Amino acid sequence: MTSPTTTPISTGVTMLGLGAMGSALAARLLAAGHPVTVWNRSVGRDADLVERGARRAETVADAVTAQPLIVACLLRHPSVHHTLDPVVAQLRGKTLVNLTTTTPNEARELAAWAAEHGIDYLDGAILAVPAMIGSPGAQVFYGGSQAAFDQHRKVLDTWATSIFDGSDAGRASLIDLAMLSAMYQMFAGFIHGAAMVGSEGMTATEFAARTTPFISAMTASFAGFARIIDGGDYAVAGQQSLDFSDLSYIVRASDEQGVNPATLAAVQALIGRQVAAGHGSEGFSRIYESFRAAEVTVGGGRETVGGSHDERYM
Ligand code: FVH
C-alpha cells in the first residue's frame, strides 16, 4: 500500500510596495507558487502581477490581514511607519520582513516598535538589483528574529542566497551599507580618474578598459589590509608606508588638469592625520584609525565623544 502523498503548502505572502524591487520580489514568489497579495500606495503598478496570479488588496489593512507573512519593500524608514502605523493592530501575531533600506538604528527602531506590538520582525538588506532577484548572484542579509528567518527560509531563498547575521536587527543594514560605501567610493575614484584623463581627451570607455584589470587585481589586497587591521599592528614589516603613500602629487596633478580633487584630497587628509600623529612609517591600513570617531572610556565602557563632525573625526 502506498502512503498518501501530501502537497506542500506554500506560505502566503503579502508584498507592500511595488516599485522596481518589490515587483521583482513578488514576481519571483508567484513563479515559485506562493499565494501573493499585493498593495502599493499609488494605483496601477500591480497590473502585471495581478495578471500573473497575485491578488490585489485595495487597502493596507486588507493586505496585512490577507496573509501570515508580510514583506515591506518601500522607499525609506519613514515610509514604513507611514504605511504600517495605521494597521499595527492587524499586524499583531504576524511576521514582518522589512526589505526597505534603512540605517542600522532605524532598523533597530522598527524592531523595537514591532516587539512592542507583538510582531515578529526580520530586517533584510538586499545586495542585488531587481533583475538579479532569483539568480545565484543575489544575496539578502537578515537580522532580527531567528525564528522568523528559520520558519520562512523557503520563501526567502526564492529571492536570493539568504544570510542570517544574528538577532541584532541593525546588523544586516550595517554590513549592507558598509559594502555600498566601499562600492560608491570605488566608483567615485574611477569617475575621478576618468575626469583626469578626459581633461586631455581620453574617453571614459578607454580608461575603463585600461583600469579594470588593474583595479580587479588590487582588490586582492583587501585580505592583507584586513589581517593587519584585525591584528592591530600597523607597523608590520613589508608594507608600503604612509610616508610613501603621500598623495599630494596626485591631488596637485588633478588640480593642474582643472579636475576637482575632492575625493582624493579626503583620502590625503586621512593619511595626513596619521602622519602628523607620528605614524608615517606605518602601513596604509593605519588610516583605519582616522575613520574611527574619537572615543572616551566612560564607566568601563566606550562612548563616542559628542560635538560637531569635525570635532569627532579630525
Ligand atoms: N532597486 C534597487 O536596485 C535597490 C537594490 C537594493 C535595495 N533597494 C531598496 O529596496 C527598496 C525599494 O526599492 P525600489 O527599487 O523598489 O524603489 P522604487 O522603485 O522607487 O519604489 C519605491 C516604493 O516605495 C513606495 N513608497 C515610497 N514612499 C512611500 C510612502 N511614504 N508610503 C508608502 N509607499 C511609499 C513607492 O510607492 P509609489 O511611489 O509607487 O506610490 C514604491 O512602491 C528601497 O528601500 C531601496 O533602497 C533597491
Side-chain angles (χ1 to χ4, degrees):
M1 194 178 128
T2 53
S3 57
T5 52
T6 52
T7 310
I9 299 163
S10 294
T11 308
V13 183
T14 283
M15 179 64 60
L16 303 174
L18 302 176
M21 184 54 82
S23 295
L25 297 169
R28 183 74 196 113
L29 292 174
L30 289 166
H34 292 276
V36 178
T37 300
V38 292
W39 174 87
N40 194 66
R41 175 182 62 171
S42 48
V43 293
R45 296 189 89 157
D46 58 8
D48 181 52
L49 293 164
V50 170
E51 208 166 285
R52 294 196 219 180
R55 181 186 156 247
R56 172 184 297 135
E58 300 297 339
T59 64
V60 189
D62 180 16
V64 301
T65 46
Q67 307 289 1
L69 175 59
I70 316 301
V71 178
C73 191
L74 304 167
L75 199 54
R76 296 279 175 259
H77 174 262
S79 67
V80 181
H81 274 301
H82 182 251
T83 304
L84 296 181
D85 282 355
V87 296
V88 71
Q90 288 97 319
L91 282 167
R92 183 170 287 277
K94 307 235 172 196
T95 298
L96 172 62
V97 176
N98 180 33
L99 299 176
T100 308
T101 302
T102 65
T103 68
N105 280 345
E106 288 168 346
R108 291 178 189 121
E109 185 281 330
L110 284 164
W113 168 87
E116 192 187 324
H117 296 286
I119 304 160
D120 205 10
Y121 184 83
L122 190 60
D123 200 88
I126 304 171
L127 268 288
V129 294
M132 288 168 69
I133 294 302
S135 72
Q139 298 182 74
V140 182
F141 304 157
Y142 294 95
S145 167
Q146 170 101 56
F149 181 79
D150 291 342
Q151 186 183 350
H152 296 293
R153 183 72 192 262
K154 204 171 151 227
V155 172
L156 309 181
D157 286 350
T158 62
W159 295 323
T161 300
S162 313
I163 299 168
F164 186 68
D165 279 308
S167 59
D168 173 2
R171 194 168 172 84
S173 156
L174 178 64
I175 298 166
D176 173 39
L177 299 188
M179 286 171 66
L180 291 179
S181 171
M183 180 190 80
Y184 279 116
Q185 290 180 82
M186 181 189 69
F187 287 165
F190 165 74
I191 293 167
H192 172 246
M196 283 182 75
V197 294
S199 70
E200 300 220 350
M202 184 188 277
T203 63
T205 304
E206 187 183 349
F207 184 63
R210 299 272 290 269
T211 307
T212 302
F214 172 66
I215 296 298
S216 303
M218 286 297 102
T219 59
S221 322
F222 289 175
F225 285 140
R227 266 194 304 279
I228 290 169
I229 292 166
D230 292 343
D233 179 8
Y234 301 105
V236 169
Q239 302 179 76
Q240 181 174 306
S241 72
L242 276 179
D243 286 332
F244 185 84
S245 307
D246 186 298
L247 307 178
S248 48
Y249 66 102
I250 312 179
V251 172
R252 204 170 59 251
S254 177
D255 207 24
E256 286 170 6
Q257 296 299 129
V259 172
N260 184 344
T263 50
L264 199 69
V267 179
Q268 178 60 19
L270 298 170
I271 294 170
R273 190 175 161 208
Q274 294 304 317
V275 172
H279 302 290
S281 62
E282 298 179 27
F284 188 77
S285 49
R286 172 93 219 172
I287 67 166
Y288 184 82
E289 298 300 325
S290 295
F291 282 111
R292 302 215 297 184
E295 290 178 318
V296 290
T297 304
V298 179
R302 305 285 286 169
E303 195 170 276
T304 302
V305 175
S308 71
H309 176 273
D310 284 356
E311 283 164 348
R312 278 184 279 135
Y313 300 101
M314 297 301 175

